[in-house]
Amino acid sequence: MGVVTKDTTIGDILRIKPAAAPLLMEIGMHCLGCPASQGETVEEAAAVHGVDVDDLISRMNAVPDQA
């Protein structure tokens, strides 16, 4: 089971929880395939997009892992 933390990169999230993509799009990450976003951490993404990191992590961890 993949647990998302502040240090988890967006690329890792998309690999272990591809169903989280709409959640990331919802916060304004419309370029999920860009190399820069792939290496960005959840904490960095939350800061850039003005989202509470703990809330974002909680919501991402509620998304099921890829089967």
Side-chain angles (χ1 to χ4, degrees):
M1 180 166 151
V3 177
V4 176
T5 69
K6 291 179 182 182
D7 296 320
T8 306
T9 65
I10 301 304
D12 286 341
I13 291 167
L14 294 174
R15 281 187 284 286
I16 61 173
K17 294 179 180 281
L23 175 60
L24 294 168
M25 297 284 286
E26 181 183 306
I27 69 163
M29 290 196 73
H30 299 286
C31 189
L32 295 177
C34 296
S37 72
Q38 294 293 302
E40 188 173 42
T41 67
V42 172
E43 187 170 39
E44 292 166 337
V48 167
H49 295 284
V51 175
D52 179 84
V53 68
D54 294 319
D55 179 58
L56 182 58
I57 289 169
S58 176
R59 292 174 67 193
M60 284 194 194
N61 281 320
V63 173
D65 292 354
Q66 181 174 354

